[in-house]
Amino acid sequence: MFLPKVDAPRPYPLLEDIREPLPPESEQPLRYDYEYKRNGSVNLFAIFEPHKGWRHIEVTQQRTKKDFALQMKNLVDIHCPQAESIRLVVDNLNTHNPAALYKFFPPSISTSNCPKTRISLHA
């Protein structure tokens, strides 16, 4: 059995320094200015299996049900096609549910993936 954890934390900001860090003086650390330029944000889908020391990070522009469905399809078809069963642990975010598979994929694909995948919601 494969027991991955899926997490899509809050959007990750893309920040750029406005000024170069000041060179350190003797026995002083490098000093950074607190001012920055915001260059948008991205979403990080993290799929990991701590007991096996495995992880996969996927960067997307947003966090939608379609993105979640695509990550689940990739998990089943690419990352662990040999698994007989997958018990997926996700949080209770509204995008993390099996209905997303049926909404964005034909029933033949959705039903072929779902029998070996059991989704457990955890807060």
Side-chain angles (χ1 to χ4, degrees), residues 85-114:
S85 73
I86 300 170
R87 182 173 292 170
L88 185 63
V89 180
V90 296
D91 57 15
N92 59 358
L93 189 65
N94 65 343
T95 59
H96 296 169
N97 61 52
L101 290 172
Y102 291 98
K103 184 173 182 178
F104 296 104
F105 297 114
S108 60
I109 292 175
S110 299
T111 54
S112 67
N113 289 343
C114 283

Side-chain angles (χ1 to χ4, degrees), residues 44-117:
L44 302 176
F45 271 101
I47 304 173
F48 51 96
E49 213 293 320
H51 300 292
K52 295 185 179 180
W54 177 85
R55 70 178 174 268
H56 176 74
I57 307 292
E58 189 80 26
V59 179
T60 60
Q61 292 299 313
Q62 53 194 352
R63 179 181 59 194
T64 64
K65 286 184 180 183
K66 185 174 185 177
D67 295 318
F68 176 75
L70 183 59
Q71 294 306 314
M72 294 306 96
K73 185 175 183 321
N74 289 343
L75 175 67
V76 172
D77 294 344
I78 298 170
H79 302 301
C80 53
Q82 74 288 354
E84 291 179 16
S85 73
I86 300 170
R87 182 173 292 170
L88 185 63
V89 180
V90 296
D91 57 15
N92 59 358
L93 189 65
N94 65 343
T95 59
H96 296 169
N97 61 52
L101 290 172
Y102 291 98
K103 184 173 182 178
F104 296 104
F105 297 114
S108 60
I109 292 175
S110 299
T111 54
S112 67
N113 289 343
C114 283
K116 72 182 207 178
T117 306

Side-chain angles (χ1 to χ4, degrees), residues 11-67:
Y12 188 80
L14 300 173
L15 306 177
E16 178 183 347
D17 288 331
I18 300 269
R19 297 182 181 102
E20 290 295 318
L22 295 173
E25 296 176 9
S26 73
E27 299 185 23
Q28 292 292 322
L30 190 64
R31 292 180 282 176
Y32 288 92
D33 194 344
Y34 60 87
E35 193 174 348
Y36 60 87
K37 177 182 174 187
R38 187 175 171 117
N39 292 324
S41 62
V42 294
N43 180 61
L44 302 176
F45 271 101
I47 304 173
F48 51 96
E49 213 293 320
H51 300 292
K52 295 185 179 180
W54 177 85
R55 70 178 174 268
H56 176 74
I57 307 292
E58 189 80 26
V59 179
T60 60
Q61 292 299 313
Q62 53 194 352
R63 179 181 59 194
T64 64
K65 286 184 180 183
K66 185 174 185 177
D67 295 318

